[in-house]
Amino acid sequence: MTDASEPRISGYHAHIYYDAASMPQALALCEQAAQRFALSVGCAHRQAVGPHPDWSCQLGFAPEVFGQLIPWLALNRGGLVVFIHPLTGNELADHRDHAIWMGAVRPLNLAIFAKDAEALDLE
């Protein structure tokens, strides 16, 4: 039974982090994921984008895919850092409070979520 006060998860993002040396590995991982699972692959960024401190590529997927994709990423990420978060409509909470990390936890730039920052004393 779901509590009415709990946010509804409409989907997930998995961000694969990399640098110049590990970019081919990361892009191959994203391509393999796209071949195996129902998901969308975003742009391969060669700079930090949004709250992300490193270059990254985003995998977008439905909640129904989570149970298959996340274990596969855990076994196949080859040392790459993977940041996973739900999509509930509250970007700050999704990135800060509901995050799942594989590998090193990296510092996110949460200040970009300015609309939520005042309520959470980030200013």
Side-chain angles (χ1 to χ4, degrees), residues 12-25:
Y12 288 91
H13 287 164
H15 301 272
I16 314 301
Y17 288 176
Y18 52 86
D19 58 18
S22 60
M23 187 174 183
Q25 175 193 357

Side-chain angles (χ1 to χ4, degrees), residues 11 19 28 45-46 52 61 65-66 93-94 102 111-112:
D19 58 18
H45 298 287
R46 292 178 181 253
H52 307 288
F61 55 99
V65 177
F66 187 96
D94 291 347
M102 293 181 188
I112 70 160

Side-chain angles (χ1 to χ4, degrees), residues 37-83:
F37 304 100
L39 55 80
S40 63
V41 179
C43 296
H45 298 287
R46 292 178 181 253
Q47 63 186 14
V49 173
H52 307 288
D54 302 313
W55 299 3
S56 65
C57 185
Q58 173 183 290
L59 304 178
F61 55 99
E64 298 77 28
V65 177
F66 187 96
Q68 294 78 43
L69 175 62
I70 300 308
W72 182 85
L73 283 173
L75 296 176
N76 292 281
R77 67 185 181 87
L80 294 170
V81 172
V82 180
F83 170 66

